[in-house]
Amino acid sequence: MIDISKFSAQEIDRIIEMAWEDRTTFDAIEVQFGLKHQEVITLMRKQMKESSFKMWRKRMTNKSTKHAVLRSQVSTRFKCDRQRAISNNKITKR
């Protein structure tokens, strides 16, 4: 059982946003927030309308990009290919 009270409203919003993104893995959410896959599902169930949760679960079922082990090696990057080194965090000029 997860304790949602340890997260701010802003953090909960970010977890939900990351869970909705196709390219963000559950492993990335665990590293950043300490929530395992099943805990993310529990949080989503509690924080979303039932219809929205069901739509999300349908999208995520068997989605290989959400699990690092199932991802192809092609999709290992987490940033835009036009983005500079993460320390500068700026889009390059064209």
Side-chain angles (χ1 to χ4, degrees):
M1 186 71 138
I2 63 167
D3 180 18
I4 323 176
S5 63
K6 69 179 182 178
F7 297 110
S8 68
Q10 194 173 22
E11 289 173 320
I12 291 172
D13 286 346
R14 181 63 185 138
I15 293 167
I16 292 171
E17 181 182 7
M18 290 173 76
W20 269 100
E21 294 169 349
D22 288 341
R23 293 186 62 121
T24 304
T25 64
F26 288 114
D27 299 325
I29 296 171
E30 184 175 0
V31 167
Q32 189 167 354
F33 295 99
L35 294 176
K36 296 185 184 320
H37 180 197
Q38 191 58 47
E39 294 172 324
V40 172
I41 292 171
T42 302
L43 181 126
M44 298 287 278
R45 187 184 311 270
K46 288 180 179 180
Q47 295 295 312
M48 299 171 70
K49 294 188 301 185
E50 184 178 354
S51 60
S52 298
F53 174 76
K54 286 181 179 180
M55 182 173 48
W56 175 75
R57 284 298 290 157
K58 187 176 180 180
R59 281 186 59 234
M60 292 301 107
T61 302
N62 299 323
K63 187 75 114 169
S64 63
T65 57
K66 291 302 282 184
H67 303 278
V69 175
L70 302 176
R71 280 180 102 147
S72 69
Q73 294 300 346
V74 176
S75 60
T76 57
R77 60 187 174 83
F78 283 87
K79 61 180 183 164
C80 174
D81 59 356
R82 294 183 309 269
Q83 187 176 4
R84 289 188 184 177
I86 199 68
S87 59
N88 292 333
N89 204 16
K90 296 178 183 175
I91 301 295
T92 59
K93 295 180 182 178
R94 295 179 190 213

